[in-house]
mmCIF file of all heavy atoms in Angstrom:
data_model
loop_
_atom_site.group_PDB
_atom_site.id
_atom_site.type_symbol
_atom_site.label_atom_id
_atom_site.label_comp_id
_atom_site.label_asym_id
_atom_site.label_seq_id
_atom_site.Cartn_x
_atom_site.Cartn_y
_atom_site.Cartn_z
ATOM 1 N N PRO A 281 -31.759 218.733 105.812
ATOM 2 C CA PRO A 281 -31.740 219.705 104.727
ATOM 3 C C PRO A 281 -30.527 220.625 104.787
ATOM 4 O O PRO A 281 -30.044 221.086 103.764
ATOM 5 C CB PRO A 281 -33.044 220.482 104.941
ATOM 6 C CG PRO A 281 -33.922 219.583 105.724
ATOM 7 C CD PRO A 281 -32.986 218.794 106.599
ATOM 8 N N ARG A 282 -30.008 220.875 105.984
ATOM 9 C CA ARG A 282 -28.916 221.832 106.120
ATOM 10 C C ARG A 282 -27.551 221.164 106.157
ATOM 11 O O ARG A 282 -26.560 221.758 105.774
ATOM 12 C CB ARG A 282 -29.094 222.652 107.404
ATOM 13 C CG ARG A 282 -30.310 223.556 107.402
ATOM 14 C CD ARG A 282 -30.387 224.357 108.676
ATOM 15 N NE ARG A 282 -29.174 225.147 108.872
ATOM 16 C CZ ARG A 282 -28.860 225.751 110.017
ATOM 17 N NH1 ARG A 282 -29.644 225.622 111.067
ATOM 18 N NH2 ARG A 282 -27.747 226.459 110.117
ATOM 19 N N PHE A 283 -27.489 219.913 106.621
ATOM 20 C CA PHE A 283 -26.194 219.306 106.867
ATOM 21 C C PHE A 283 -25.995 218.019 106.082
ATOM 22 O O PHE A 283 -25.254 217.148 106.506
ATOM 23 C CB PHE A 283 -26.019 219.036 108.368
ATOM 24 C CG PHE A 283 -26.127 220.271 109.203
ATOM 25 C CD1 PHE A 283 -27.241 220.486 110.000
ATOM 26 C CD2 PHE A 283 -25.137 221.236 109.174
ATOM 27 C CE1 PHE A 283 -27.346 221.628 110.763
ATOM 28 C CE2 PHE A 283 -25.228 222.381 109.950
ATOM 29 C CZ PHE A 283 -26.340 222.578 110.742
ATOM 30 N N LYS A 284 -26.660 217.872 104.960
ATOM 31 C CA LYS A 284 -26.465 216.664 104.157
ATOM 32 C C LYS A 284 -25.042 216.637 103.615
ATOM 33 O O LYS A 284 -24.611 217.535 102.910
ATOM 34 C CB LYS A 284 -27.470 216.614 102.999
ATOM 35 C CG LYS A 284 -27.398 215.307 102.209
ATOM 36 C CD LYS A 284 -28.512 215.190 101.201
ATOM 37 C CE LYS A 284 -28.253 216.011 99.972
ATOM 38 N NZ LYS A 284 -29.210 215.721 98.914
ATOM 39 N N ARG A 285 -24.291 215.587 103.954
ATOM 40 C CA ARG A 285 -22.929 215.461 103.487
ATOM 41 C C ARG A 285 -22.905 214.876 102.087
ATOM 42 O O ARG A 285 -23.771 214.120 101.690
ATOM 43 C CB ARG A 285 -22.124 214.558 104.437
ATOM 44 C CG ARG A 285 -22.024 215.082 105.857
ATOM 45 C CD ARG A 285 -21.350 214.050 106.737
ATOM 46 N NE ARG A 285 -22.094 212.790 106.734
ATOM 47 C CZ ARG A 285 -21.619 211.666 107.239
ATOM 48 N NH1 ARG A 285 -20.422 211.630 107.767
ATOM 49 N NH2 ARG A 285 -22.366 210.568 107.204
ATOM 50 N N GLU A 286 -21.849 215.206 101.330
ATOM 51 C CA GLU A 286 -21.711 214.680 99.978
ATOM 52 C C GLU A 286 -21.711 213.154 99.994
ATOM 53 O O GLU A 286 -22.263 212.506 99.121
ATOM 54 C CB GLU A 286 -20.429 215.214 99.344
ATOM 55 C CG GLU A 286 -20.319 214.909 97.855
ATOM 56 C CD GLU A 286 -21.358 215.622 97.027
ATOM 57 O OE1 GLU A 286 -21.811 216.699 97.428
ATOM 58 O OE2 GLU A 286 -21.715 215.084 95.951
ATOM 59 N N ALA A 287 -21.090 212.563 101.027
ATOM 60 C CA ALA A 287 -21.018 211.106 101.105
ATOM 61 C C ALA A 287 -22.391 210.477 101.293
ATOM 62 O O ALA A 287 -22.586 209.300 101.021
ATOM 63 C CB ALA A 287 -20.090 210.695 102.249
ATOM 64 N N ASP A 288 -23.362 211.232 101.790
ATOM 65 C CA ASP A 288 -24.700 210.710 102.025
ATOM 66 C C ASP A 288 -25.580 210.780 100.781
ATOM 67 O O ASP A 288 -26.681 210.234 100.768
ATOM 68 C CB ASP A 288 -25.397 211.491 103.138
ATOM 69 C CG ASP A 288 -24.762 211.251 104.505
ATOM 70 O OD1 ASP A 288 -24.211 210.166 104.728
ATOM 71 O OD2 ASP A 288 -24.830 212.166 105.321
ATOM 72 N N ALA A 289 -25.130 211.481 99.766
ATOM 73 C CA ALA A 289 -25.973 211.749 98.614
ATOM 74 C C ALA A 289 -26.296 210.459 97.868
ATOM 75 O O ALA A 289 -25.441 209.591 97.684
ATOM 76 C CB ALA A 289 -25.279 212.733 97.678
ATOM 77 N N VAL A 290 -27.548 210.313 97.449
ATOM 78 C CA VAL A 290 -27.991 209.171 96.650
ATOM 79 C C VAL A 290 -28.836 209.699 95.498
ATOM 80 O O VAL A 290 -29.337 210.822 95.547
ATOM 81 C CB VAL A 290 -28.811 208.166 97.495
ATOM 82 C CG1 VAL A 290 -27.950 207.543 98.579
ATOM 83 C CG2 VAL A 290 -30.032 208.838 98.101
ATOM 84 N N PRO A 291 -29.003 208.910 94.443
ATOM 85 C CA PRO A 291 -29.818 209.372 93.321
ATOM 86 C C PRO A 291 -31.261 209.670 93.716
ATOM 87 O O PRO A 291 -31.850 210.654 93.293
ATOM 88 C CB PRO A 291 -29.751 208.219 92.322
ATOM 89 C CG PRO A 291 -28.522 207.456 92.694
ATOM 90 C CD PRO A 291 -28.384 207.595 94.175
ATOM 91 N N PHE A 292 -31.850 208.787 94.519
ATOM 92 C CA PHE A 292 -33.212 208.942 95.021
ATOM 93 C C PHE A 292 -33.430 207.841 96.049
ATOM 94 O O PHE A 292 -32.631 206.913 96.172
ATOM 95 C CB PHE A 292 -34.262 208.839 93.902
ATOM 96 C CG PHE A 292 -34.359 207.473 93.265
ATOM 97 C CD1 PHE A 292 -35.317 206.553 93.681
ATOM 98 C CD2 PHE A 292 -33.507 207.110 92.235
ATOM 99 C CE1 PHE A 292 -35.409 205.292 93.103
ATOM 100 C CE2 PHE A 292 -33.589 205.847 91.646
ATOM 101 C CZ PHE A 292 -34.531 204.947 92.085
ATOM 102 N N VAL A 293 -34.500 207.946 96.793
ATOM 103 C CA VAL A 293 -34.920 206.880 97.700
ATOM 104 C C VAL A 293 -36.199 206.264 97.141
ATOM 105 O O VAL A 293 -37.119 206.983 96.739
ATOM 106 C CB VAL A 293 -35.148 207.416 99.122
ATOM 107 C CG1 VAL A 293 -35.837 206.382 100.000
ATOM 108 C CG2 VAL A 293 -33.816 207.817 99.754
ATOM 109 N N ASN A 294 -36.248 204.957 97.100
ATOM 110 C CA ASN A 294 -37.424 204.245 96.612
ATOM 111 C C ASN A 294 -38.646 204.630 97.455
ATOM 112 O O ASN A 294 -38.703 204.317 98.643
ATOM 113 C CB ASN A 294 -37.168 202.741 96.698
ATOM 114 C CG ASN A 294 -38.347 201.901 96.257
ATOM 115 O OD1 ASN A 294 -39.394 202.413 95.885
ATOM 116 N ND2 ASN A 294 -38.179 200.596 96.323
ATOM 117 N N PRO A 295 -39.631 205.309 96.886
ATOM 118 C CA PRO A 295 -40.789 205.748 97.667
ATOM 119 C C PRO A 295 -41.534 204.615 98.361
ATOM 120 O O PRO A 295 -42.096 204.809 99.443
ATOM 121 C CB PRO A 295 -41.681 206.429 96.626
ATOM 122 C CG PRO A 295 -40.739 206.911 95.574
ATOM 123 C CD PRO A 295 -39.696 205.826 95.501
ATOM 124 N N THR A 296 -41.531 203.426 97.774
ATOM 125 C CA THR A 296 -42.324 202.333 98.337
ATOM 126 C C THR A 296 -41.734 201.806 99.649
ATOM 127 O O THR A 296 -42.416 201.091 100.385
ATOM 128 C CB THR A 296 -42.461 201.176 97.335
ATOM 129 O OG1 THR A 296 -41.185 200.577 97.108
ATOM 130 C CG2 THR A 296 -43.024 201.671 96.012
ATOM 131 N N LEU A 297 -40.496 202.162 99.969
ATOM 132 C CA LEU A 297 -39.893 201.716 101.214
ATOM 133 C C LEU A 297 -40.539 202.366 102.432
ATOM 134 O O LEU A 297 -40.398 201.870 103.545
ATOM 135 C CB LEU A 297 -38.389 202.028 101.216
ATOM 136 C CG LEU A 297 -37.533 201.272 100.209
ATOM 137 C CD1 LEU A 297 -36.094 201.739 100.288
ATOM 138 C CD2 LEU A 297 -37.620 199.763 100.415
ATOM 139 N N ALA A 298 -41.225 203.472 102.217
ATOM 140 C CA ALA A 298 -41.835 204.193 103.342
ATOM 141 C C ALA A 298 -43.276 204.587 103.020
ATOM 142 O O ALA A 298 -43.719 205.690 103.344
ATOM 143 C CB ALA A 298 -41.010 205.426 103.701
ATOM 144 N N GLY A 299 -43.990 203.686 102.372
ATOM 145 C CA GLY A 299 -45.415 203.898 102.136
ATOM 146 C C GLY A 299 -45.765 204.756 100.946
ATOM 147 O O GLY A 299 -46.940 205.092 100.749
ATOM 148 N N GLY A 300 -44.773 205.140 100.142
ATOM 149 C CA GLY A 300 -45.049 205.942 98.957
ATOM 150 C C GLY A 300 -45.359 205.069 97.749
ATOM 151 O O GLY A 300 -45.546 203.853 97.867
ATOM 152 N N SER A 301 -45.388 205.689 96.583
ATOM 153 C CA SER A 301 -45.780 204.969 95.383
ATOM 154 C C SER A 301 -45.151 205.624 94.162
ATOM 155 O O SER A 301 -44.869 206.821 94.157
ATOM 156 C CB SER A 301 -47.305 204.964 95.237
ATOM 157 O OG SER A 301 -47.705 204.364 94.015
ATOM 158 N N LEU A 302 -44.949 204.820 93.127
ATOM 159 C CA LEU A 302 -44.517 205.339 91.831
ATOM 160 C C LEU A 302 -45.710 205.673 90.952
ATOM 161 O O LEU A 302 -45.538 205.943 89.756
ATOM 162 C CB LEU A 302 -43.602 204.336 91.138
ATOM 163 C CG LEU A 302 -42.094 204.494 91.403
ATOM 164 C CD1 LEU A 302 -41.544 205.774 90.772
ATOM 165 C CD2 LEU A 302 -41.765 204.434 92.871
ATOM 166 N N LEU A 303 -46.905 205.689 91.537
ATOM 167 C CA LEU A 303 -48.095 206.216 90.882
ATOM 168 C C LEU A 303 -48.538 207.455 91.653
ATOM 169 O O LEU A 303 -48.610 207.424 92.887
ATOM 170 C CB LEU A 303 -49.230 205.189 90.874
ATOM 171 C CG LEU A 303 -49.040 203.920 90.050
ATOM 172 C CD1 LEU A 303 -50.243 202.999 90.236
ATOM 173 C CD2 LEU A 303 -48.835 204.239 88.582
ATOM 174 N N ASP A 304 -48.808 208.533 90.938
ATOM 175 C CA ASP A 304 -49.381 209.678 91.631
ATOM 176 C C ASP A 304 -50.871 209.421 91.851
ATOM 177 O O ASP A 304 -51.375 208.324 91.602
ATOM 178 C CB ASP A 304 -49.100 210.986 90.883
ATOM 179 C CG ASP A 304 -49.870 211.126 89.567
ATOM 180 O OD1 ASP A 304 -50.775 210.309 89.287
ATOM 181 O OD2 ASP A 304 -49.570 212.067 88.812
ATOM 182 N N ARG A 305 -51.584 210.404 92.353
ATOM 183 C CA ARG A 305 -53.015 210.245 92.627
ATOM 184 C C ARG A 305 -53.786 211.157 91.674
ATOM 185 O O ARG A 305 -53.869 212.368 91.868
ATOM 186 C CB ARG A 305 -53.317 210.590 94.082
ATOM 187 C CG ARG A 305 -54.778 210.440 94.459
ATOM 188 C CD ARG A 305 -54.995 210.778 95.926
ATOM 189 N NE ARG A 305 -54.553 209.693 96.810
ATOM 190 C CZ ARG A 305 -54.451 209.823 98.134
ATOM 191 N NH1 ARG A 305 -54.732 210.974 98.709
ATOM 192 N NH2 ARG A 305 -54.058 208.796 98.857
ATOM 193 N N ALA A 306 -54.332 210.544 90.608
ATOM 194 C CA ALA A 306 -55.128 211.297 89.631
ATOM 195 C C ALA A 306 -56.607 211.273 90.008
ATOM 196 O O ALA A 306 -57.334 212.231 89.757
ATOM 197 C CB ALA A 306 -54.936 210.706 88.240
ATOM 198 N N THR A 307 -57.044 210.165 90.591
ATOM 199 C CA THR A 307 -58.400 210.012 91.108
ATOM 200 C C THR A 307 -58.250 209.333 92.477
ATOM 201 O O THR A 307 -57.146 208.936 92.853
ATOM 202 C CB THR A 307 -59.269 209.131 90.185
ATOM 203 O OG1 THR A 307 -58.905 207.752 90.366
ATOM 204 C CG2 THR A 307 -59.103 209.516 88.717
ATOM 205 N N PRO A 308 -59.322 209.174 93.218
ATOM 206 C CA PRO A 308 -59.180 208.494 94.514
ATOM 207 C C PRO A 308 -58.605 207.084 94.430
ATOM 208 O O PRO A 308 -58.034 206.581 95.406
ATOM 209 C CB PRO A 308 -60.614 208.491 95.048
ATOM 210 C CG PRO A 308 -61.246 209.701 94.448
ATOM 211 C CD PRO A 308 -60.670 209.771 93.058
ATOM 212 N N THR A 309 -58.728 206.432 93.271
ATOM 213 C CA THR A 309 -58.276 205.040 93.166
ATOM 214 C C THR A 309 -57.248 204.786 92.062
ATOM 215 O O THR A 309 -56.696 203.691 92.001
ATOM 216 C CB THR A 309 -59.475 204.115 92.916
ATOM 217 O OG1 THR A 309 -60.147 204.520 91.707
ATOM 218 C CG2 THR A 309 -60.461 204.171 94.080
ATOM 219 N N LEU A 310 -56.994 205.766 91.210
ATOM 220 C CA LEU A 310 -56.103 205.558 90.065
ATOM 221 C C LEU A 310 -55.015 206.634 90.022
ATOM 222 O O LEU A 310 -55.205 207.745 90.528
ATOM 223 C CB LEU A 310 -56.894 205.588 88.759
ATOM 224 C CG LEU A 310 -57.978 204.524 88.590
ATOM 225 C CD1 LEU A 310 -58.784 204.797 87.324
ATOM 226 C CD2 LEU A 310 -57.376 203.121 88.546
ATOM 227 N N GLY A 311 -53.876 206.294 89.412
ATOM 228 C CA GLY A 311 -52.780 207.255 89.323
ATOM 229 C C GLY A 311 -52.049 207.164 88.002
ATOM 230 O O GLY A 311 -52.276 206.256 87.204
ATOM 231 N N GLU A 312 -51.154 208.114 87.773
ATOM 232 C CA GLU A 312 -50.316 208.129 86.588
ATOM 233 C C GLU A 312 -48.883 207.792 86.993
ATOM 234 O O GLU A 312 -48.412 208.208 88.057
ATOM 235 C CB GLU A 312 -50.404 209.486 85.888
ATOM 236 C CG GLU A 312 -51.829 209.804 85.445
ATOM 237 C CD GLU A 312 -51.927 210.971 84.474
ATOM 238 O OE1 GLU A 312 -50.912 211.680 84.286
ATOM 239 O OE2 GLU A 312 -53.018 211.160 83.913
ATOM 240 N N PRO A 313 -48.179 207.026 86.165
ATOM 241 C CA PRO A 313 -46.843 206.559 86.559
ATOM 242 C C PRO A 313 -45.819 207.682 86.622
ATOM 243 O O PRO A 313 -45.757 208.536 85.729
ATOM 244 C CB PRO A 313 -46.487 205.546 85.460
ATOM 245 C CG PRO A 313 -47.350 205.917 84.293
ATOM 246 C CD PRO A 313 -48.602 206.475 84.863
ATOM 247 N N LEU A 314 -45.014 207.667 87.678
ATOM 248 C CA LEU A 314 -43.853 208.545 87.792
ATOM 249 C C LEU A 314 -42.715 207.833 87.061
ATOM 250 O O LEU A 314 -41.945 207.088 87.645
ATOM 251 C CB LEU A 314 -43.529 208.795 89.260
ATOM 252 C CG LEU A 314 -44.679 209.380 90.085
ATOM 253 C CD1 LEU A 314 -44.300 209.486 91.554
ATOM 254 C CD2 LEU A 314 -45.097 210.748 89.553
ATOM 255 N N ASN A 315 -42.651 208.048 85.763
ATOM 256 C CA ASN A 315 -41.840 207.204 84.894
ATOM 257 C C ASN A 315 -40.474 207.768 84.533
ATOM 258 O O ASN A 315 -39.708 207.129 83.810
ATOM 259 C CB ASN A 315 -42.625 206.838 83.627
ATOM 260 C CG ASN A 315 -43.275 208.043 82.965
ATOM 261 O OD1 ASN A 315 -42.945 209.186 83.271
ATOM 262 N ND2 ASN A 315 -44.205 207.788 82.060
ATOM 263 N N VAL A 316 -40.154 208.969 85.025
ATOM 264 C CA VAL A 316 -38.819 209.550 84.847
ATOM 265 C C VAL A 316 -38.389 210.145 86.182
ATOM 266 O O VAL A 316 -39.183 210.814 86.858
ATOM 267 C CB VAL A 316 -38.797 210.640 83.760
ATOM 268 C CG1 VAL A 316 -37.412 211.292 83.682
ATOM 269 C CG2 VAL A 316 -39.190 210.078 82.397
ATOM 270 N N ILE A 317 -37.146 209.894 86.573
ATOM 271 C CA ILE A 317 -36.586 210.490 87.790
ATOM 272 C C ILE A 317 -35.321 211.249 87.410
ATOM 273 O O ILE A 317 -34.432 210.689 86.755
ATOM 274 C CB ILE A 317 -36.237 209.427 88.851
ATOM 275 C CG1 ILE A 317 -37.480 208.615 89.231
ATOM 276 C CG2 ILE A 317 -35.631 210.085 90.093
ATOM 277 C CD1 ILE A 317 -37.167 207.431 90.140
ATOM 278 N N ILE A 318 -35.250 212.523 87.796
ATOM 279 C CA ILE A 318 -34.016 213.294 87.658
ATOM 280 C C ILE A 318 -33.224 213.068 88.943
ATOM 281 O O ILE A 318 -33.650 213.463 90.028
ATOM 282 C CB ILE A 318 -34.284 214.789 87.447
ATOM 283 C CG1 ILE A 318 -35.292 215.011 86.302
ATOM 284 C CG2 ILE A 318 -32.974 215.526 87.175
ATOM 285 C CD1 ILE A 318 -34.830 214.546 84.950
ATOM 286 N N SER A 319 -32.089 212.429 88.837
ATOM 287 C CA SER A 319 -31.304 212.004 89.992
ATOM 288 C C SER A 319 -30.920 213.172 90.898
ATOM 289 O O SER A 319 -30.583 214.267 90.429
ATOM 290 C CB SER A 319 -30.028 211.309 89.506
ATOM 291 O OG SER A 319 -29.108 211.129 90.559
#
Side-chain angles (χ1 to χ4, degrees):
R282 294 182 57 193
F283 301 108
K284 186 172 78 170
R285 299 174 301 169
E286 190 66 28
D288 291 331
V290 295
F292 66 96
V293 169
N294 178 359
T296 66
L297 294 177
S301 175
L302 269 292
L303 294 177
D304 70 10
R305 181 179 283 170
T307 76
T309 58
L310 299 173
E312 300 193 349
L314 303 175
N315 49 15
V316 176
I317 301 173
I318 309 297
S319 168

